[in-house]
Every structure is written in structure tokens, then in C-alpha cells.
Amino acid sequence: MDCLFCKILAGEIPSAKVYENQWVYAFRDINPQAPVHVLVIPKTHIASADGINAENSAAVAHIFEAIPEIAKVEGLVNGYRVITNCGEDGCQSVKHLHFHVLGGKKLPEKMG
Ligand code: DGP
């Protein structure tokens, strides 16, 4: 499968790892939009939020269990934002489900 984040998971493309467990991998976004910008992905390929279903939704629970751990190691004591872009109108550019964790400063209120 020609998926950029599957290649990162396979170690074929280097990434700056922040966190990893059996189900989840997190790494620094190549184009950070905040002082802390981490991408959290499932180790199983799910194309987007629109591909979540009863069979694979445990992967999402694992991601949201990992996020507070990631926030802790990244020092996001004042809070942070979690975003997933989905599909064309959501401006999703990589077709492997990922959650952006953004923080390290007061983020803009409006998201457009
Ligand atoms: P989205 O637009 O929501 O699909 O976000 C995709 C993000 O992936 C975007 O913020 C940039 C990041 N990205 C794209 N290619 C790479 C890469 O090769 N390495 C890393 N670390 N991040 C990447």
C-alpha cells in the first residue's frame, strides 16, 4: 500500500518519535504549526475518521489513551488542541488516520 504514514511505521521513512506503544505511534509533524505539533497514528491502516467503524474503533480509543501521556512528556500543562482533518473538504493530505496534537502556546480561538 502506498501510504506515507505506513512507510513511517515500517521505518522506511525517518520520523522523530515522541511516543510508541503496541497500537499507537506518535511523531513530530514535519511542518509544525505550534511549538509542539505531534501526529498520533494507529499502527493499523485506517484511511481517515470516516473509516472508523465498530471493528476498528478500539484503535481510536488507544490513541486517546496515549494523548494524555504524550501531553505529559511534551509538557503541555496548560492544555492543547487535538484535530483530525478528514477528506477533501477537511483538507486531509495524508490518507492514514492521524490526530494533530498542538500546544506549547495559546492557540488561536478560531479554526475557520
Ligand atoms: P493533514 O493535512 O491533516 O493530512 O496532515 C498531514 C500532516 O503530515 C501535515 O501537517 C504534514 C505532515 N507530514 C507530511 N509528510 C510528512 C513526513 O514525511 N514526515 C512528518 N513527520 N510529517 C509529515
Side-chain angles (χ1 to χ4, degrees):
M1 189 185 296
D2 192 27
C3 169
L4 177 67
F5 289 172
C6 284
K7 287 180 180 161
I8 283 179
L9 282 169
E12 293 167 20
I13 294 172
S15 62
K17 180 166 97 171
V18 171
Y19 178 93
E20 183 173 18
N21 67 24
Q22 186 179 343
W23 303 283
V24 170
Y25 185 69
F27 56 103
R28 299 201 187 283
D29 194 292
I30 207 167
N31 183 24
Q33 305 296 310
V36 173
H37 187 169
V38 175
L39 300 173
V40 192
I41 67 173
K43 288 190 172 178
T44 52
H45 183 86
I46 300 171
S48 75
D50 202 49
I52 298 167
N53 56 44
E55 277 70 50
N56 64 22
S57 61
V60 180
H62 291 306
I63 285 172
F64 276 85
E65 289 166 17
I67 285 172
E69 300 294 322
I70 294 163
K72 197 180 297 174
V73 297
E74 292 296 309
L76 301 178
V77 292
N78 279 330
Y80 50 92
R81 181 170 290 156
V82 181
I83 296 172
T84 191
N85 296 322
C86 179
E88 185 69 21
D89 282 1
C91 295
Q92 181 185 5
S93 60
V94 180
K95 307 299 189 268
H96 182 125
L97 179 65
H98 53 281
F99 292 85
H100 299 256
V101 176
L102 298 138
K105 70 169 188 181
K106 180 82 171 174
L107 298 167
E109 196 177 334
K110 302 287 184 200
M111 294 187 45

